Amino acid sequence: MSTAPTPGRDDRDEGPRVRRTPAPPAEPELVGRAPSDQAGDEGRVPRWGAGVAVGGFLVGLILAGWAIALWDAASGVNRRSYGADVVGLIGLWIGMLGAVVVFTRVRGRRPLAATLGLRFKPSDVPVGVGCGLASQFLLVPLLYLPLRAVNSHIYRDLGKPAESLTRRAHGPGFVVLSVLVIVGAPVVEELFFRGLLQRSLAGWLGPGPAIGAAALGFGLAHGEAVQLLALVAFGVVLGVLAQRSGRLGPGIVAHAAFNGATIAVIALGR
C-alpha cells in the first residue's frame, strides 16, 4: 500500500499540527560587562590592571619630583612654596590618570564608566556625605583615642599636614587649592584606587582582601606616618562603598565630604 499523500487530500487527515516558534539566539557573553549595582559585584577588571596601576603611580612620583624641581628652579625660592605643592600634586595625578587611560585603551572593549564604575545616582549624595563626615568626626577620633595616653597632642599632629599645605596658600591660591582637594582628589584617587586597583585585585585576591590592599596603598601613597591609620581606615570605608554599590559615586562624594570638612575647619580657624 502506498503511503504517499493523495493530491487534494484534506489537511485535517494529516492530524494536528503544532507551530514551532524558533528559539531566540543565545546572547553572547560580554567580556568586561559593566558592573551592576548589586552588592558584591566588582565588575570584570583583569588582574594585570594592578600592574598598570603600580606603574602609573611610580611614573606619577617621578613627574611630581620633576615638576617640583622645575618650579623651585624657576621661582628661585629656597623654601617649599604653594606653587610647588600644586605642580607636584598635578604631576602625581597625571601618572595616576595615565594608568587609567592606558588600561582602558589597551583593553579597548568597554567605556570608562562601565569598566571602572564611574557612575552616580541621586542616593549617592546623602550616603556619601554621611559616610565622609562620620569618618572624619567619629571614626578617626575613635581610632586615635587610645594613642592619647602616649601622645596628648595626637589630634593636633593629625591636622599638621593639612595645615602646612594650606598655610602657604592665601586668597585665590587657597580657593584653587580647596577645589583641587575637594573636587580633584576624590575623582582622581577613587578612579585610581577603587576603580582600577581594587577591581583588578578583586579578581586576584577576592573582594575583602582587595579592599584592604587598596586601602593600604591609599594610605601609603599620602606619605604621612601619623595619618596612616586614619587614611587606611577611611580607605576601607571607601572600598566597601565601591564594592557594595558597584560604582564609584558614593565613594567620590564621601571623599569630597571628608576633605571638605578638613578645609572648612582650617578656613574657620583662620
Side-chain angles (χ1 to χ4, degrees):
M1 179 182 294
S2 174
T3 59
T6 304
R9 186 176 179 180
D10 195 332
D11 290 343
R12 289 175 296 179
D13 295 339
E14 293 294 326
R17 295 182 179 180
V18 180
R19 185 176 181 180
R20 300 179 180 274
T21 302
E27 180 183 357
E29 182 180 2
L30 297 178
V31 179
R33 179 175 297 175
S36 67
D37 290 335
Q38 299 298 323
D41 186 0
E42 283 293 316
R44 298 182 181 182
V45 175
R47 301 175 183 179
W48 54 266
V52 176
V54 173
F57 187 78
L58 294 177
V59 170
L61 288 178
I62 295 173
L63 292 177
W66 287 351
I68 292 173
L70 290 174
W71 180 273
D72 290 341
S75 62
V77 179
N78 295 328
R79 58 185 179 85
R80 185 72 172 268
S81 64
Y82 154 75
D85 293 328
V86 172
V87 297
L89 185 62
I90 293 176
L92 178 62
W93 286 355
I94 290 175
M96 295 167 67
L97 288 177
V100 173
V101 172
V102 168
F103 169 78
T104 53
R105 291 296 297 268
V106 171
R107 196 173 186 203
R109 295 187 177 184
R110 302 291 294 177
L112 180 64
T115 304
L116 302 183
L118 185 60
R119 299 189 302 275
F120 292 86
K121 286 188 174 182
S123 60
D124 295 342
V125 175
V127 171
V129 170
C131 291
L133 296 181
S135 298
Q136 180 70 265
F137 296 113
L138 292 177
L139 176 61
V140 173
L142 287 175
L143 285 174
Y144 284 83
L145 184 60
L147 298 179
R148 292 193 65 184
V150 180
N151 181 4
S152 59
H153 303 292
I154 187 65
Y155 293 132
R156 185 187 306 170
D157 294 341
L158 282 173
K160 283 183 177 180
E163 292 177 1
S164 176
L165 178 64
T166 56
R167 186 183 301 119
R168 295 186 287 269
H170 301 278
F174 184 79
V175 175
V176 171
L177 185 63
S178 298
V179 172
L180 291 176
V181 171
I182 299 174
V183 180
V187 174
V188 174
E189 293 178 4
E190 292 311 301
L191 261 176
F192 182 83
F193 288 104
R194 256 61 64 176
L196 178 57
L197 183 60
Q198 180 174 308
R199 285 176 176 242
S200 59
L201 290 176
W204 192 2
L205 306 175
I211 291 173
L216 180 61
F218 173 73
L220 292 173
H222 287 78
E224 300 291 346
V226 177
Q227 291 76 20
L228 180 61
L229 177 60
L231 291 170
V232 172
F234 184 51
V236 170
V237 173
L238 296 173
V240 170
L241 287 174
Q243 192 269 334
R244 291 186 63 85
S245 66
R247 59 186 184 276
L248 300 179
I252 291 176
V253 176
H255 201 151
F258 187 91
N259 289 357
T262 301
I263 295 296
V265 169
I266 293 174
L268 292 175
R270 287 187 171 185

